[in-house]
């Protein structure tokens, strides 16, 4: 053809091979993303045959990151982000420090200069938000407290890496590299960076919170589906680009905040649904682009170094994160989920490595080790999520330490001694205090109906207790939490969680302790609800059915018969 079609070729080759290798991976009972990574290796410059445009693939992958983080923002409110700040902020800071120290110490043992070792450790310290979100979606953990802690933790990591990217050029000369373009006073540079980030967040909270929902409403009034989809995608891309150009904030963080502000709109769920196909397609291109950067020769030339890198990413970071979460007295399951979530590296590691090459702080061999660690940890990460429950059972059966951690005294896992005894007879036990749970609690309080909240989020339980609301912290799928909520004397158990496996366990425990208790459950689908309802004699509420019944009642009340 007379014109350049490298963009079309890259997209077609990437998606086509991703489909082929993804199907093969699925047939072999492996995560499809392993196939996506292999597709990238096949069309990358390190393997013979067709070579796609690496630069174009990288930009297409950035679009995927933008759309994915925008979608996260649409489901992740500022209140939810702040609810996990007490564990996410110190946890991310300590985990970055531990992983950086492990990576730097290992590199020093290999004889690397201090500056290169430090940058190498930083590259291994930050996990990929894209990989985490895909894993949480695949395993149904994106909406629970474990998922919120993991996402909040990675948001803090991303903010920390933004500062590192800005400070690295002026520090490069003192670290053994050559000075970058952004030289000058380090204190002034840090102050300017913090000011820009603060200005961007303030702009989003003050202006974006009002502008984006209004814009979405105006477009929705036209009745045009194309314009609505165009509005969603345009806001995501434009805010991401503007945040990077004007405020030196990463594309991902800019899109995340744009999504959180658009969440204030009544059309936020529709916006999430409309952007879902694009998010899925471009997230595949992200994994393909990662594979394109990988040179398989490093596996043959330095296998022990690759294994050391993989151990730091998947073992060192995980152990550090698990220990930190347990220190905050969260359940073992939460600690394992957060630890597994961080057992990989991704987009910020690639950006840091590329900048390090430009500044003379990282060799081509070091970059290859980082890419090898990323490829292998991403490929294995999804499988680790499947091991969380079996590993927890194994630890509880064989490890006295795990048993002590599970049974240790936790002031938030028990109701205070001064709790009004009148609340603990005939009360409603409300499991989950999210969006649905909060509305139910408000209605119960308005009618003076006593209730006890059980939730895994410790910060939320602390806040409820400050408001004089009876609440216990922990996983209600365990017997101890429901006992502390005095389920044996309750009149009703209300489950606002949507996980059918956990719901079955909670229902079984409740029936054992209180055979006559009435149980209500929020089901995700009619089929799931009908199955559990028939098996367990539980009253089901399915979102679509409840909405239809409410609208029908309103119509019947307003129209003459």
């Amino acid at each position: 053809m007379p014109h350049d079609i490298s963009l079309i070729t890259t997209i077609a080759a990437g998606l086509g091979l991703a489909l082929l290798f993804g199907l093969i991976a699925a047939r072999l009972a492996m995560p499809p993303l392993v196939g996506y990574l292999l597709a990238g290796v096949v069309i990358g410059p390190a393997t013979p045959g067709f070579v796609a445009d690496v630069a174009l693939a990288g930009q297409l992958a950035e679009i995927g990151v933008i759309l994915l983080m925008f979608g996260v923002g649409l489901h992740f409110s500022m209140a939810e982000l702040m609810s996990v700040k007490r564990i996410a902020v110190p946890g991310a800071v300590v985990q970055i420090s531990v992983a950086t120290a492990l990576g730097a110490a290992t590199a020093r043992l290999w004889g690397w200069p201090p500056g290169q070792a430090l940058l190498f450790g930083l590259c291994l310290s930050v996990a990929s938000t894209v990989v985490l979100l895909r894993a949480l979606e695949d395993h149904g953990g994106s909406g629970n407290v474990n998922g919120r802690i993991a996402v909040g933790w990675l948001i803090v990591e991303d903010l920390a890496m933004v500062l590192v990217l800005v400070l690295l050029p002026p520090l490069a000369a003192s670290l053994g590299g050559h000075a970058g373009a952004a030289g000058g006073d380090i204190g002034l540079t840090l102050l300017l960076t913090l000011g820009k980030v603060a200005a961007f967040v303030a702009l989003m909270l003050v202006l974006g919170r009002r502008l984006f929902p209004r814009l979405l409403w105006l477009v929705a009034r036209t009745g045009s589906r194309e314009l609505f989809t165009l509005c969603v995608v345009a806001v995501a891309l434009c805010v991401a680009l503007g945040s990077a150009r004007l405020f030196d904030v990463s594309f991902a963080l800019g899109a995340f905040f744009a999504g959180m502000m658009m969440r204030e709109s009544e059309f936020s769920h529709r916006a999430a649904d409309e952007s879902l196909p694009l998010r899925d397609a471009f997230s595949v291109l992200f994994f393909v682009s990662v594979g394109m950067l990988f040179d398989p020769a490093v596996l043959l030339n330095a296998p022990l170094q690759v294994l050391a890198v993989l151990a730091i990413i998947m073992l060192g970071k995980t152990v550090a994160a698990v220990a930190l979460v347990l220190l905050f007295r969260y359940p073992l399951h939460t600690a394992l989920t957060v630890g597994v979530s961080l057992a990989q590296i991704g987009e910020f590691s690639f950006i840091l490595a590329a900048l390090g090459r430009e500044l003379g702080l990282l060799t081509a061999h070091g970059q290859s080790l980082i890419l090898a660690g990323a490829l292998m940890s991403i490929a294995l990460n999804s499988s680790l999520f499947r091991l969380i429950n079996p590993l927890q059972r194994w630890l509880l059966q064989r490890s006295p330490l795990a048993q002590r951690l599970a049974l240790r005294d936790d002031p938030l896992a028990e109701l205070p001694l001064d709790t009004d005894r009148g609340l603990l007879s005939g009360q409603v036990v409300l499991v989950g205090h999210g969006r649905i749970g909060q509305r139910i609690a408000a209605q119960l309080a308005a009618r003076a109906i006593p209730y006890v909240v059980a939730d895994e989020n410790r910060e939320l339980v602390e806040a409820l207790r400050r408001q004089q609301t009876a609440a216990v912290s922990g996983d209600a799928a365990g017997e101890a939490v429901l006992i502390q909520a005095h389920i044996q004397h309750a009149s009703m158990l209300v489950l606002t969680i949507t996980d059918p496996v956990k719901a079955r366990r909670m229902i079984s425990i409740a029936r054992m302790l209180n055979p006559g208790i009435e149980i209500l459950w929020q089901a995700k689908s009619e089929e799931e609800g009908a199955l559990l309802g028939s098996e367990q004699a539980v009253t089901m509420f399915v979102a679509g059915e409840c909405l239809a019944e409410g609208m029908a009642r309103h119509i019947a009340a307003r129209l003459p018969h």
Side-chain angles (χ1 to χ4, degrees):
M1 288 186 179
H3 53 281
D4 186 10
I5 58 168
S6 58
L7 175 61
I8 298 174
T9 305
T10 301
I11 294 176
L15 294 180
L17 285 174
L19 173 61
L20 175 62
F21 285 103
L23 282 172
I24 295 173
R27 291 297 298 271
L28 296 175
M30 299 172 66
L33 67 84
V34 175
Y36 308 155
L37 293 167
L38 291 176
V41 175
V42 169
I43 62 175
T47 54
F50 171 76
V51 177
D53 192 317
V54 178
L56 277 178
Q59 293 188 49
L60 292 171
E62 284 285 8
I63 295 176
V65 173
I66 290 169
L67 293 176
L68 192 64
M69 290 302 294
F70 180 76
V72 175
L74 284 171
H75 293 96
F76 203 95
S77 68
M78 181 61 73
E80 290 175 337
L81 185 60
M82 297 304 292
S83 71
V84 297
K85 67 180 185 300
R86 290 182 60 184
I87 183 173
V89 174
V93 171
V94 173
Q95 182 262 310
I96 287 175
S97 302
V98 171
T100 301
L102 287 174
T106 302
R108 289 292 290 158
L109 289 175
W110 294 338
W112 293 17
Q116 290 189 24
L118 176 62
L119 180 60
F120 182 73
L122 284 170
C123 290
L124 302 184
S125 69
V126 57
S128 168
T129 311
V130 179
V131 176
L132 167 66
L133 294 173
R134 175 57 65 89
L136 289 176
E137 289 174 0
D138 290 344
H139 296 87
S142 57
N144 59 28
V145 65
N146 297 345
R148 290 198 296 272
I149 291 173
V151 172
W153 193 304
L154 261 67
I155 294 299
V156 177
E157 283 193 356
D158 288 353
L159 284 169
M161 289 304 110
V162 169
L163 294 178
V164 171
L165 289 172
V166 174
L167 292 174
L168 198 57
L171 287 170
S174 59
L175 292 174
H178 51 263
D185 182 73
I186 297 174
L188 181 62
T189 302
L190 178 60
L191 186 63
L192 184 62
T193 300
L194 292 174
K196 286 182 177 180
V197 172
F200 170 73
V201 174
L203 185 66
M204 287 289 102
L205 293 176
V206 176
L207 183 60
R209 202 173 215 160
R210 295 174 173 83
L211 177 62
F212 295 156
R214 176 69 177 174
L215 175 62
L216 208 58
W217 180 77
L218 289 173
V219 173
R221 286 184 61 190
T222 66
S224 171
R225 182 177 178 179
E226 310 94 81
L227 280 178
F228 189 88
T229 304
L230 177 62
C231 175
V232 172
V233 176
V235 167
L237 294 177
C238 291
V239 172
L241 179 61
S243 64
R245 294 294 187 186
L246 301 177
F247 298 98
D248 290 330
V249 176
S250 69
F251 290 135
L253 283 175
F256 174 77
F257 274 97
M260 278 206 305
M261 298 306 102
M262 195 170 278
R263 188 181 189 272
E264 304 296 323
S265 169
E266 58 188 304
F267 300 102
S268 60
H269 290 289
R270 181 183 169 189
D273 292 339
E274 295 287 351
S275 60
L276 182 60
L278 280 173
R279 295 205 309 267
D280 286 343
F282 279 99
S283 66
V284 170
L285 289 175
F286 166 79
F287 293 109
V288 172
S289 71
V290 173
M292 291 175 65
L293 296 172
F294 178 61
D295 184 1
V298 72
L299 300 176
L300 300 175
N301 298 333
L304 294 180
Q305 289 184 337
V306 171
L307 288 176
V309 169
L310 196 62
I312 293 170
I313 297 170
M314 304 196 70
L315 186 61
K317 289 172 62 178
T318 300
V319 171
V322 168
L324 284 167
V325 177
L326 290 175
L327 283 175
F328 279 87
R329 291 187 173 274
Y330 273 85
L332 180 61
H333 189 272
T334 299
L336 292 174
T337 301
V338 174
V340 168
S341 300
L342 301 172
Q344 38 81 15
I345 58 175
E347 55 273 11
F348 265 110
S349 301
F350 310 146
I351 296 171
L352 271 176
L355 182 60
R357 290 292 310 280
E358 294 177 9
L359 298 173
L361 289 174
L362 194 66
T363 63
H365 177 67
Q367 188 177 32
S368 295
L369 289 175
I370 292 168
L371 292 173
L375 183 73
M376 298 173 71
S377 63
I378 289 173
L380 295 171
N381 186 252
S382 182
S383 299
L384 291 180
F385 274 86
R386 300 174 185 170
L387 299 177
I388 291 176
N389 291 328
L391 178 60
Q392 180 176 342
R393 289 193 295 268
W394 184 86
L395 288 172
L396 291 175
Q397 291 172 359
R398 290 179 168 80
S399 171
L401 176 59
Q403 295 170 7
R404 287 197 297 272
L405 289 172
L407 298 174
R408 65 187 173 179
D409 294 333
D410 183 357
L412 294 182
E414 301 177 355
L415 287 176
L417 295 177
D418 60 354
T419 301
D420 184 359
R421 297 293 105 178
L423 294 175
L424 304 178
S425 179
Q427 81 280 13
V428 174
V429 176
L430 179 61
V431 177
H433 201 261
R435 185 166 54 92
I436 302 297
Q438 289 173 20
R439 296 189 178 189
I440 295 174
Q443 293 293 325
L444 294 175
R447 291 167 171 78
I449 299 174
Y451 66 95
V452 178
V453 175
D455 198 284
E456 294 182 74
N457 192 329
R458 291 177 54 82
E459 284 77 10
L460 175 62
V461 171
E462 286 182 327
L464 288 172
R465 290 191 178 185
R466 287 194 294 269
Q467 300 167 10
Q468 306 304 312
T469 298
V472 292
S473 171
D475 185 358
E479 188 174 321
V481 174
L482 289 179
I483 290 176
Q484 285 300 320
H486 289 251
I487 192 71
Q488 63 270 31
H489 303 303
S491 61
M492 187 176 295
L493 172 64
V494 180
L495 306 177
T496 65
I497 64 168
T498 57
D499 185 345
V501 177
K502 282 193 172 185
R504 286 176 184 272
R505 289 202 294 267
M506 294 176 194
I507 292 167
S508 176
I509 293 169
R511 290 277 187 233
M512 178 182 66
L513 298 173
N514 187 347
I517 193 171
E518 183 178 355
I519 300 176
L520 282 65
W521 181 50
Q522 171 198 349
K524 289 189 293 186
S525 65
E526 297 179 11
E527 295 78 10
E528 195 173 74
L531 176 62
L532 194 57
S534 62
E535 290 183 355
Q536 303 281 355
V538 176
T539 304
M540 297 294 166
F541 291 87
V542 181
E545 288 183 356
C546 294
L547 177 61
E549 291 174 3
M551 294 177 71
R553 285 196 300 268
H554 180 81
I555 293 169
R558 296 294 297 270
L559 296 179
H561 297 287

